[in-house]
Amino acid sequence: MSRNTNISPITASQKLASSCFGAMTTVVIIAPFDVIKTRMQISRNTSLAGKESASYVLCNGLMDHKCVGCPETMKKNCKPTMWGTFVNILKNEGPRSLYRGLTPMLVMAIPSTMIFFTAYDIMKENFTPLLGKRGQVLAPMVSAILARVVVVTAISPLELIRTKVQASRTARYGELFRTVSQEVSQSGVTALWRGLGTTLMRDLPFSAFYWAGYEHFKRRFNVMTNGKYPNMSNFTAGATSGMIVAAATTPFDVVKTHLQVNMGQTNGKTESQKVPSTFTIMNSIRRQYGIAGLYTGVTARVVKVAPSSAIMIGTYEFFKSFFADRNREI
């Protein structure tokens, strides 16, 4: 493969195709880690109002309180660890539950990734010369932020549904859509974007620092290997940057999960729900569980994000090189 795709620029459609292949590969491999992370985060969520969930039977073996519908075997020795969550899901729900929410994940991942990566590349190419000496650092950050705002806002309703599907052991898509529809009728269409602010607070810093870190690590790894292994440099840079930034933004991911899972837990009330702010939820979690509570699922998140970042960027760059080589041959 070519080591410099700039020699033969690829078209926008080829960039879209590259990101599509990357998205499909990443989602299928990483989906189980996302389910485990979500289960770990909601295991402590008995509703911040102090009430148990009226909409979900969260029987994943992680709760340290008695929950309706949980088999006795799942109430014993409950430890909120990544391995414990994995074992309990397999034992009590079967391996198919590790791919719960896969359909909305694919529906979200493919178009959003195609839009994001193509927009990021185009904006970075334009911003880099405009920003001069600081372009190598600022161009990736600015490009990533702008591209992420558009994508996150567009897919927020699907993200909400995916989170609830993963959090539930028994709820089906029809029940979830009825819950969401009821919430929209009570609270307005803005309910579909519940958790958007927190998601942006999580994703914008993540995108900015991830892409700045990725470009930095990629340059360093290419220098270390004398440019002989560009695909390995891309893969390693993606994993390194993803691991660091994923751990740092975990508290916002925990709050986002709480906001989205709590939708529909009004116990039959008709009035609109008062949605607590991000920092109100953070303080509540901190008071109940300490700072460690804000990092619930951090291992699962890092284990998911680091390889997913590496796989996505590695696959994307691989196919960009493939198309660049093909363009030269034409």
Side-chain angles (χ1 to χ4, degrees), residues 140-153:
M141 297 181 76
V142 174
S143 301
I145 287 174
L146 294 176
R148 183 60 61 188
V149 168
V150 175
V151 171
V152 168
T153 302

Side-chain angles (χ1 to χ4, degrees), residues 137 140-142 144-145 148 203-213 245:
V137 176
M141 297 181 76
V142 174
I145 287 174
R148 183 60 61 188
D203 285 1
L204 295 188
F206 179 92
S207 292
F209 290 107
Y210 169 77
W211 284 99
V245 182

Side-chain angles (χ1 to χ4, degrees), residues 30-79:
I30 300 301
F33 295 106
D34 202 32
V35 172
I36 292 169
K37 174 202 64 105
T38 299
R39 293 297 185 87
M40 291 180 69
Q41 290 176 350
I42 56 91
S43 67
R44 287 176 171 174
N45 184 19
T46 60
S47 168
L48 294 177
K51 299 179 181 179
E52 293 187 6
S53 169
S55 302
Y56 299 98
V57 182
L58 301 172
C59 300
N60 50 36
L62 301 178
M63 297 185 182
D64 53 9
H65 69 287
K66 186 176 181 179
C67 55
V68 178
C70 288
E72 289 299 322
T73 55
M74 296 179 67
K75 295 174 186 174
K76 300 176 181 179
N77 302 319
C78 295
K79 296 181 180 180

Side-chain angles (χ1 to χ4, degrees), residues 86-106:
F86 172 74
V87 171
N88 273 282
I89 291 174
L90 283 182
K91 181 179 178 180
N92 296 285
E93 302 176 40
R96 291 182 62 182
S97 290
L98 291 172
Y99 285 90
R100 185 179 292 275
L102 179 62
T103 298
M105 283 176 72
L106 286 170

Side-chain angles (χ1 to χ4, degrees), residues 105-161:
M105 283 176 72
L106 286 170
V107 171
M108 286 189 303
I110 294 175
S112 65
T113 302
M114 291 170 68
I115 294 169
F116 177 84
F117 274 76
T118 303
Y120 170 79
D121 266 354
I122 293 173
M123 285 190 284
K124 190 188 75 169
E125 290 169 2
N126 286 278
F127 282 136
T128 300
L130 293 176
L131 295 173
K133 295 181 179 179
R134 298 181 179 179
Q136 286 190 334
V137 176
L138 294 180
M141 297 181 76
V142 174
S143 301
I145 287 174
L146 294 176
R148 183 60 61 188
V149 168
V150 175
V151 171
V152 168
T153 302
I155 69 168
S156 186
L158 287 172
E159 169 78 5
L160 184 149
I161 293 172

Side-chain angles (χ1 to χ4, degrees), residues 242-295:
M243 179 175 59
I244 295 170
V245 182
T249 57
T250 294
F252 295 108
D253 189 57
V254 172
V255 173
K256 187 262 315 178
T257 299
H258 276 259
L259 280 170
Q260 293 181 337
V261 170
N262 276 340
M263 173 180 277
Q265 297 178 9
T266 56
N267 295 325
K269 295 181 180 179
T270 57
E271 66 272 12
S272 297
Q273 297 182 48
K274 292 183 179 179
V275 182
S277 69
T278 297
F279 293 104
T280 297
I281 296 175
M282 280 188 174
N283 284 330
S284 179
I285 295 172
R286 182 183 57 79
R287 286 196 300 270
Q288 286 184 296
Y289 305 108
I291 296 297
L294 293 172
Y295 288 89

Side-chain angles (χ1 to χ4, degrees), residues 6-25:
N6 292 325
I7 295 176
S8 181
I10 66 174
T11 65
S13 62
Q14 290 173 332
K15 289 181 180 180
L16 288 170
S18 299
S19 58
C20 180
F21 289 131
M24 289 190 293
T25 303

